[in-house]
Amino acid sequence: MNVYDSEQIARSLESVGYRMTSSVKAADMILVNTCAIREKAEQKVFSFLGRLGDMKKVRPELIIAVGGCVAQQEGRKILERAPYIDLVFGTHAVSRVPEMIKRIESESCRIVDVEVSEIISEIEFPADDRKQEKSGTFVTIMQGCDNYCTYCVVPYVRGREMSRNPENIIREIRNLVATGVREITLLGQNVNSYGIKEELCSFPELLAQIAEIEGLLRIRFTTSHPKDLSENLMLAFKNLDKLCRHIHLPVQSGSNRILKKMNRKYTREQYLERIEKLRGICPDIAMTSDMIVGFPGETRADFEETLNLMKTVEYDGLFAFQYSDRPNAAAARFPEKISEKEKRERLLELLELQEYFTLKKNKAMIGSVQEILVDGMSKRGAGSRRQGTGSRGQGESVNENDVPNKNDVQWMGRTSGNKVVNFTQSDECDTDTLFVGKVIPVRIEEAFSHSLRGKPLTITELSGLKGDKT
Ligand code: SAH
Ligand code: SF4
């Protein structure tokens, strides 16, 4: 979500004469987009701002802006803590950033804008005809959240849930497809409740409309709250070819006692029932989840229920976090806090178990042919490196111009289930098929904990496949 917001802000600043630079030292303005989801993320913001303060001492004309969830949460307090900051803007002020920067340039003033709006803000951009370097990107379909899970800061820093109009979403995706984007990930804290409050279309209806967009090859979405996972959404996985066979369905805990304290509004049994139904409708769907360990009052028995649920579901990937107190969130005031040591130990135990299932799932794919959307070139050997605990954000893209030798090129892409696949260009394969943004069939030959390695089908194999079909 923050990546999407950062991209939107960067684009909007082009209207007032700024463009992105890859060098912090060369920048005339530095804009820090922040995350407040866990305390560690917040601490990182302040240590980074400290470093920017040192830069400003040497270059007083440098403009420094801080936005996002920490800015929304802390507001004016950021200026007190870091007096060299020029602009603090909250999560609802994104569309006003260019005009505020203009004011700062002309009046040398300092601005704090953390006003919360009741209507969703749309940033209008002129049509963009620049070719995108990546095959996939994000599109936000809704802001905020009304769920108030007791551990979570999102409703306090992102505000009430609001959905964007389908027409605006579709227009944005069409524009992106025209610049070369082939895969869209729709973003929202709970996409299942898309459009309900505003009486727009339902989320499955939105998916069906997006699937009609010519040139778009794949659709993904995140996040889906288990309490609202509807049968129509399950059926979309079966009926819409473009919808990738992957669902991120965060359970957070396997213990009913903890789920209740978290205010998640489903039980372990209801969650498992929905997973079973979904697998009945779409058997090859990949599943990932988020998990929190060490929520206040979590006993060893509760934690074991979580491990037990993981053994029942066998997730393809998992994002696991140690519980962290957040200001405003109700659980910050809950008793029976778990020690840091205990949280760390539980996290390690859980990750070790997940590693086993991820590898098991990946190994089961050896020998299969997977449709891979090519993302770009990857560093050689990236496949065997540990890069996180799940299937999001894996793989390391490198600049196309950095790779000198054709025979040494390793490409990277993703399966429909969102698994990273690295593959080299074989001599016999149809070289025309190898470029970013295309879907190509790759036979999986090796499996690692966090990625797969394969070989594109040769022309002979491809014609064999086509022959099989007719
Ligand atoms: N809307 C999504 C989650 C968004 S936040 C959902 O409901 O699933 C992403 C993840 O961060 C959450 O799923 C949760 O696992 C984790 N998280 C949120 N608040 C946290 C906290 N206070 N401590 C630890 N992990 C937290
Ligand atoms: Fe946070 Fe719960 Fe909303 Fe997700 S659904 S953003 S965890 S309050």
Side-chain angles (χ1 to χ4, degrees):
M1 210 153 272
N2 272 9
V3 173
Y4 176 83
D5 286 349
S6 300
E7 282 175 358
Q8 297 275 303
I9 297 165
R11 270 189 76 191
S12 72
L13 284 167
E14 287 174 8
S15 68
V16 288
Y18 287 88
R19 63 185 168 79
M20 290 273 266
T21 167
S22 51
S23 152
V24 177
K25 282 191 188 138
D28 298 312
M29 178 195 11
I30 298 173
L31 196 147
V32 187
N33 197 9
T34 61
C35 170
I37 200 80
R38 282 169 293 276
E39 197 183 357
K40 236 186 213 153
E42 204 177 310
Q43 283 165 352
K44 271 193 211 157
V45 172
F46 286 101
S47 70
F48 184 64
L49 291 182
R51 292 208 296 278
L52 295 185
D54 294 340
M55 283 176 70
K56 188 133 175 172
K57 276 186 210 142
V58 185
R59 289 174 52 208
E61 72 286 0
L62 179 70
I63 294 177
I64 305 177
V66 184
C69 295
V70 177
Q72 186 69 46
Q73 183 180 280
E74 301 295 313
R76 191 162 291 279
K77 277 191 261 167
I78 295 187
L79 291 192
E80 286 157 21
R81 202 161 157 183
Y84 44 84
I85 306 282
D86 300 284
L87 170 65
V88 177
F89 64 97
T91 53
H92 289 213
V94 168
S95 59
R96 295 188 287 275
V97 171
E99 73 191 69
M100 292 192 282
I101 293 290
K102 271 276 155 250
R103 261 191 67 203
I104 291 166
E105 280 174 355
S106 59
E107 298 170 27
S108 298
C109 55
R110 300 165 81 205
I111 303 177
V112 177
D113 181 351
V114 286
E115 211 172 291
V116 173
S117 161
E118 292 300 311
I119 47 164
I120 199 153
S121 64
E122 289 280 344
I123 311 180
E124 285 295 330
F125 292 112
D128 191 348
D129 53 10
R130 283 169 298 188
K131 204 95 193 108
Q132 291 273 347
E133 282 163 19
K134 53 194 176 188
S135 57
T137 194
F138 302 105
V139 169
T140 287
I141 62 165
M142 55 211 294
Q143 284 179 358
C145 182
D146 288 345
N147 285 312
Y148 291 94
C149 300
T150 54
Y151 51 82
C152 185
V153 74
V154 170
Y156 306 96
V157 289
R158 293 251 167 200
R160 306 309 304 269
E161 184 185 288
M162 290 186 272
S163 300
R164 290 177 71 194
N165 267 319
E167 299 80 52
N168 293 340
I169 297 170
I170 304 251
R171 191 174 337 113
E172 184 173 343
I173 299 176
R174 276 193 208 287
N175 287 342
L176 286 165
V177 170
T179 65
V181 165
R182 295 290 168 259
E183 178 183 292
I184 288 293
T185 303
L186 306 172
L187 299 175
Q189 295 299 348
N190 178 15
V191 293
N192 299 322
S193 57
Y194 170 82
I196 295 175
K197 235 165 50 176
E198 294 84 356
E199 297 183 14
L200 303 167
C201 62
S202 71
F203 183 58
E205 283 164 354
L206 177 71
L207 285 174
Q209 285 184 49
I210 294 172
E212 296 289 314
I213 297 175
E214 222 168 286
L216 180 69
L217 300 179
R218 285 179 165 186
I219 309 167
R220 300 185 187 279
F221 61 82
T222 194
T223 297
S224 184
H225 195 305
K227 79 178 162 68
D228 300 318
L229 177 60
S230 68
E231 187 166 350
N232 278 345
L233 183 55
M234 295 187 195
L235 288 169
F237 283 108
K238 189 170 140 190
N239 299 332
L240 298 177
D241 283 345
K242 291 184 184 177
L243 185 60
C244 289
R245 275 30 180 180
H246 168 222
I247 190 162
H248 184 62
L249 199 63
V251 66
Q252 313 294 1
S253 168
S255 152
N256 280 335
R257 220 173 60 83
I258 298 297
L259 286 171
K260 194 152 200 274
K261 286 188 177 199
M262 287 177 164
N263 191 30
R264 287 294 285 181
K265 302 192 181 87
Y266 52 81
T267 61
R268 169 199 178 92
E269 291 74 24
Q270 284 165 337
Y271 181 86
L272 290 174
E273 199 182 291
R274 269 163 219 184
I275 287 215
E276 208 181 309
K277 190 163 178 185
L278 181 54
R279 280 184 169 155
I281 291 171
C282 185
D284 61 343
I285 194 161
M287 284 188 185
T288 54
S289 183
D290 290 348
M291 212 67 98
I292 297 178
V293 298
F295 186 82
E298 184 190 71
T299 60
R300 179 71 210 176
D302 292 317
F303 176 62
E304 272 168 19
E305 295 222 43
T306 296
L307 298 178
N308 185 279
L309 181 133
M310 286 167 61
K311 288 177 194 159
T312 309
V313 179
E314 300 199 357
Y315 292 109
D316 291 81
L318 193 72
F319 298 87
F321 311 99
Q322 295 180 46
Y323 167 79
S324 154
D325 267 346
R326 299 290 57 224
N328 298 321
R333 297 181 296 276
F334 288 3
E336 302 175 81
K337 293 278 156 56
I338 309 299
S339 73
E340 291 301 313
K341 179 174 174 284
E342 187 66 42
K343 284 195 277 190
R344 213 170 24 250
E345 282 171 9
R346 287 184 192 174
L347 182 68
L348 289 177
E349 193 176 341
L350 184 146
L351 290 178
E352 199 178 319
L353 179 66
Q354 182 53 41
E355 186 101 357
Y356 166 78
F357 287 119
T358 309
L359 192 56
K360 179 179 166 190
K361 294 260 164 175
N362 286 355
K363 278 189 174 160
M365 291 175 78
I366 294 177
S368 69
V369 175
Q370 299 290 322
E371 302 267 288
I372 306 299
L373 176 64
V374 183
D375 270 345
M377 295 178 192
S378 66
K379 284 180 189 164
R380 223 177 151 74
S384 52
R385 241 196 323 266
R386 192 189 159 87
Q387 287 166 3
T389 58
S391 50
R392 267 187 304 193
Q394 294 173 336
E396 271 178 76
S397 290
V398 292
N399 187 320
E400 220 161 299
N401 304 323
D402 292 346
V403 182
N405 184 350
K406 172 181 164 267
N407 292 324
D408 212 29
V409 170
Q410 184 167 260
W411 295 81
M412 193 200 89
R414 280 168 201 268
T415 65
S416 174
N418 211 24
K419 290 183 193 285
V420 171
V421 179
N422 294 297
F423 56 94
T424 37
Q425 195 165 329
S426 84
D427 288 341
E428 315 147 82
C429 77
D430 177 0
T431 48
D432 275 355
T433 60
L434 291 181
F435 59 88
V436 175
K438 260 204 151 186
V439 172
I440 61 159
V442 173
R443 190 180 306 283
I444 305 301
E445 295 185 330
E446 282 180 275
F448 308 99
S449 316
H450 301 282
S451 65
L452 302 158
R453 188 167 296 146
K455 224 184 207 163
L457 294 195
T458 59
I459 300 169
T460 330
E461 283 175 306
L462 270 174
S463 51
L465 273 189
K466 280 176 198 145
D468 287 347
K469 276 185 193 157
T470 49

